Amino acid sequence: MSTAKYLTGDSTAINEFLDKFDVFLFDCDGVLWSGDTVFEGVPETLNLLRTKGKKVVFVTNNSTKSRQDYVKKLAGLGISADTDDVFGSAYSSAIYISRILELPPNKRKVFVLGEAGIETELRSENVPFIGGTDPSLRRDMTPEDYQALADGSALDPEVGVVLVGLDFHINYLKLATAFQYIRRGAIFYATNIDSTLPNARSFFPGAGSIVAPLALMTGQQPTSFGKPSSAMMAAIKGKFELDRARTCMVGDRLNTDIQFGIDGGLGGTLAVLTGVNKKEDWEVEGAKVVPGYYVDRLSDLRSAT
Amino acid sequence: MSTAKYLTGDSTAINEFLDKFDVFLFDCDGVLWSGDTVFEGVPETLNLLRTKGKKVVFVTNNSTKSRQDYVKKLAGLGISADTDDVFGSAYSSAIYISRILELPPNKRKVFVLGEAGIETELRSENVPFIGGTDPSLRRDMTPEDYQALADGSALDPEVGVVLVGLDFHINYLKLATAFQYIRRGAIFYATNIDSTLPNARSFFPGAGSIVAPLALMTGQQPTSFGKPSSAMMAAIKGKFELDRARTCMVGDRLNTDIQFGIDGGLGGTLAVLTGVNKKEDWEVEGAKVVPGYYVDRLSDLRSAT
């Protein structure tokens, strides 16, 4: 069994660790901040890495925000970033659909279950879409809706993809509509499948909770473009031309962040203990996912010399 | 492998079949009607059974309607019935919660995700509840909701059960609220877990689609009180003092209706081909659920002498 090397308080080990990597991929929630509160010393730690010539990339599964929204959030917490430094599951999905997926010319529209972040990213890649935040879908079903969904007259024949992310305005009409598209052959994609979303020191329904009804009804599991999917890693690698061996994933969740780094063949993974998982979670007999390194908190890296 | 005996057109076999049973439990949708259209000859067939002294019971998984609602629907289709002839998953749930489940005195309230049918049945059993069709839950989440759900101030401390059925008004606030109750220890029940609901000759999200997000988030599968659960059979048996050997389940779905009859140890099961399953579904090598008898349509039983 592999073991995780503990770096907190060990300047020599931290120096050796930092020397191994040129690029650091950061999960955000639980690593940099919790909700709207940035962890102490995080902006300074990111500055230190940049001073040492490291590339810093923010990798998030939250598809309700676009890259621009994240740049604003980072700035508000004292962390400077460009849009190109941010990689979200909405963007990852949009890139895949526009650049890799080959759809027939008459099936290029995406039906979106989700929020504005997905719409912004699809728009930035010139992918046509319907649904999403369209206010005409935020209402109860009528008897006419049942008929028009069943006979297909309420459906857009050009929809070839259903893309599902976290939708704070989920309702029966949207679920029924997405289901009809998938059962008529639309490809079923998810921005990510996290069951919950942390907020206010608790947990709330995540994108996986919007995916779950459709997976049950259709008997299909969607391809997901969030961590730990290989599609997300392929999209990041395509964009940044990463040397995987010189790249390290930093995160708080074993089953998304650390798994993502390991499955993606990165040179290293660094776990922080400020989020979901604790060291007891990988220090058990038969632990499936073990990080390469860990620190109590990200700012412990500041003892580098 | 057992085989199903085909009764259509065989008066002798139908007479022998009818002589074996005193009670017939009928699934409704796909057996008696589709949507709002009754199948030809069904009222006459039910009258024939009653003339022969058979007890006829209607057993439905649809929890959006109460027993009274079903009596009205049956009457509208030309089938007379009393409330006591109807057994629905909402009623089955209410009976279990009121008569079998032993809750601490300060944990007796039920948080309902569902429609008026569940509320009517809980009320008939004097079970206190909140949620359901309460219009104050039919709205978007606010930042205050996140805080109040996370710190528990929005939660009723007397809620000891979350009961989930089909909710045509499902939304993020309701899912988040139900999740908070379950993660704080409330018992997780479902009226039924059908993934879809037939309507307008197509399929729409069923109760299982409302259950799925909560099952994913909590990591728990709820106890279900619909077919094919043993809880439904126990409740029916308790109410009617059935002789199981002299009771036959009639239905169109192998994995709910016929399974329900077999698991419940009934003397017989009769499949009809007017709904979901076809005879090819059980006439395959290794079929798991095989009915005892089948007819093309229920009204074929009228050739009894």
Side-chain angles (χ1 to χ4, degrees):
Chain A
M1 194 178 109
S2 60
T3 53
K5 185 164 174 60
Y6 183 49
L7 301 180
T8 294
D10 184 341
S11 298
T12 310
I14 291 174
N15 286 338
E16 286 174 8
F17 165 76
L18 294 178
D19 286 345
K20 288 186 191 220
F21 304 106
D22 302 320
V23 180
F24 289 86
L25 306 180
F26 283 94
D27 174 47
C28 299
D29 201 280
V31 178
L32 310 180
W33 62 65
S34 175
D36 288 323
T37 311
V38 69
F39 294 134
E40 192 264 318
V42 160
E44 295 82 355
T45 309
L46 297 174
N47 286 342
L48 172 73
L49 292 174
R50 285 169 168 163
T51 304
K52 286 180 174 290
K54 312 298 185 187
K55 169 92 178 153
V56 168
V57 180
F58 304 97
V59 181
T60 169
N61 270 6
N62 185 337
S63 68
T64 64
K65 290 189 169 74
S66 66
R67 288 167 299 154
Q68 292 90 322
D69 295 331
Y70 261 93
V71 168
K72 275 183 216 157
K73 171 153 188 171
L74 287 160
L77 299 175
I79 300 166
S80 66
D82 294 333
T83 307
D84 283 342
D85 299 329
V86 179
F87 215 92
S89 66
Y91 181 56
S92 160
S93 305
I95 285 189
Y96 187 91
I97 292 169
S98 68
R99 305 188 193 178
I100 299 172
L101 181 65
E102 295 186 356
L103 289 167
N106 60 344
K107 286 287 179 190
R108 295 221 164 128
K109 257 185 217 173
V110 177
F111 179 78
V112 175
L113 269 191
E115 297 290 341
I118 298 177
E119 296 178 325
T120 304
E121 300 297 5
L122 288 175
R123 220 175 270 124
S124 76
E125 290 285 314
N126 296 311
V127 176
F129 65 87
I130 58 172
T133 61
D134 181 350
S136 74
L137 292 175
R138 293 187 180 171
R139 60 177 178 81
D140 290 346
M141 290 274 281
T142 64
E144 293 72 35
D145 288 322
Y146 285 99
Q147 199 54 57
L149 285 169
D151 68 24
S153 59
L155 303 174
D156 185 329
E158 293 190 8
V159 167
V161 172
V162 170
L163 176 60
V164 182
L166 178 52
D167 189 338
F168 296 121
H169 303 83
I170 189 64
N171 64 27
Y172 194 83
L173 174 62
K174 291 187 188 185
L175 285 173
T177 304
F179 173 58
Q180 289 293 342
Y181 280 120
I182 299 170
R183 73 191 296 259
R184 285 155 199 257
I187 302 168
F188 183 16
Y189 285 153
T191 59
N192 62 306
I193 53 171
D194 302 59
S195 61
T196 57
L197 179 79
N199 196 338
R201 303 191 176 196
S202 185
F203 294 94
F204 291 83
S209 299
I210 312 297
V211 166
L214 295 166
L216 179 75
M217 280 186 273
T218 62
Q220 295 179 38
Q221 290 297 329
T223 298
S224 161
F225 297 103
K227 296 170 286 181
S229 82
S230 57
M232 178 81 136
M233 185 60 81
I236 292 177
K237 191 170 183 309
K239 172 141 187 160
F240 298 112
E241 297 179 355
L242 290 183
D243 176 355
R244 293 193 193 209
R246 302 275 307 163
T247 301
C248 181
M249 177 71 207
V250 186
D252 67 309
R253 293 182 74 132
L254 296 176
N255 68 349
T256 51
D257 304 320
I258 304 304
Q259 182 83 55
F260 179 65
I262 293 169
D263 289 353
L266 299 189
T269 54
L270 174 69
V272 298
L273 302 183
T274 45
V276 170
N277 284 120
K278 302 299 163 199
K279 66 177 177 174
E280 290 74 20
D281 297 329
W282 67 75
E283 285 183 348
V284 292
E285 190 68 31
K288 283 185 191 148
V289 184
V290 181
Y293 303 87
Y294 75 104
V295 285
D296 292 340
R297 60 195 72 77
L298 185 65
S299 58
D300 291 345
L301 294 180
R302 283 185 297 169
S303 48
T305 53
Chain B
M1 196 177 105
S2 59
T3 53
K5 184 166 176 58
Y6 183 50
L7 301 180
T8 294
D10 185 342
S11 298
T12 311
I14 290 173
N15 286 337
E16 286 174 8
F17 164 75
L18 294 178
D19 286 346
K20 289 186 190 214
F21 304 106
D22 302 320
V23 179
F24 290 86
L25 307 179
F26 283 94
D27 175 48
C28 300
D29 200 282
V31 177
L32 309 179
W33 61 66
S34 176
D36 287 324
T37 311
V38 69
F39 294 134
E40 191 264 317
V42 160
E44 295 82 356
T45 310
L46 297 175
N47 285 341
L48 172 73
L49 292 174
R50 284 169 168 164
T51 304
K52 287 179 175 288
K54 312 298 185 188
K55 168 91 179 156
V56 168
V57 180
F58 305 97
V59 181
T60 171
N61 271 5
N62 186 335
S63 67
T64 65
K65 289 189 169 74
S66 66
R67 288 168 299 157
Q68 293 89 320
D69 295 332
Y70 262 93
V71 168
K72 276 183 214 154
K73 171 155 189 173
L74 287 159
L77 299 174
I79 301 166
S80 66
D82 295 332
T83 308
D84 283 341
D85 299 330
V86 179
F87 215 91
S89 66
Y91 181 56
S92 160
S93 305
I95 285 188
Y96 188 91
I97 291 169
S98 70
R99 305 187 193 178
I100 298 171
L101 181 66
E102 294 186 356
L103 290 167
N106 60 343
K107 286 286 179 190
R108 295 222 163 128
K109 257 186 217 173
V110 176
F111 179 79
V112 175
L113 270 191
E115 297 291 340
I118 298 176
E119 295 179 324
T120 303
E121 299 298 5
L122 288 175
R123 220 176 270 125
S124 78
E125 289 287 315
N126 296 312
V127 176
F129 65 87
I130 58 171
T133 61
D134 181 350
S136 74
L137 291 176
R138 294 186 179 172
R139 60 176 178 83
D140 291 345
M141 289 275 281
T142 64
E144 293 70 36
D145 288 323
Y146 285 99
Q147 199 53 57
L149 285 169
D151 68 23
S153 60
L155 303 173
D156 184 329
E158 291 189 9
V159 167
V161 172
V162 170
L163 176 60
V164 182
L166 178 51
D167 189 339
F168 297 120
H169 303 84
I170 190 64
N171 63 26
Y172 194 84
L173 174 62
K174 289 186 187 184
L175 285 173
T177 303
F179 173 56
Q180 289 293 342
Y181 280 120
I182 298 170
R183 72 192 296 259
R184 285 155 200 258
I187 303 168
F188 183 15
Y189 285 152
T191 58
N192 61 305
I193 53 171
D194 301 60
S195 60
T196 57
L197 180 78
N199 196 338
R201 302 189 178 198
S202 185
F203 293 93
F204 290 84
S209 300
I210 313 297
V211 166
L214 295 166
L216 179 75
M217 281 186 273
T218 62
Q220 293 180 39
Q221 291 297 330
T223 299
S224 161
F225 296 103
K227 295 171 287 180
S229 81
S230 58
M232 178 81 136
M233 186 61 80
I236 292 177
K237 191 169 184 306
K239 172 141 185 160
F240 298 112
E241 298 179 355
L242 291 182
D243 176 355
R244 293 192 192 209
R246 301 274 308 162
T247 301
C248 180
M249 176 71 208
V250 185
D252 67 310
R253 294 183 75 132
L254 296 177
N255 67 350
T256 51
D257 304 320
I258 304 304
Q259 183 82 55
F260 178 65
I262 293 170
D263 289 353
L266 299 189
T269 54
L270 173 70
V272 299
L273 302 182
T274 45
V276 171
N277 285 120
K278 302 298 164 202
K279 66 178 177 175
E280 290 74 20
D281 296 330
W282 67 75
E283 285 183 347
V284 293
E285 190 67 33
K288 283 186 193 148
V289 184
V290 181
Y293 303 87
Y294 75 104
V295 285
D296 293 340
R297 61 195 71 78
L298 186 64
S299 58
D300 291 344
L301 293 181
R302 284 185 297 169
S303 48
T305 54

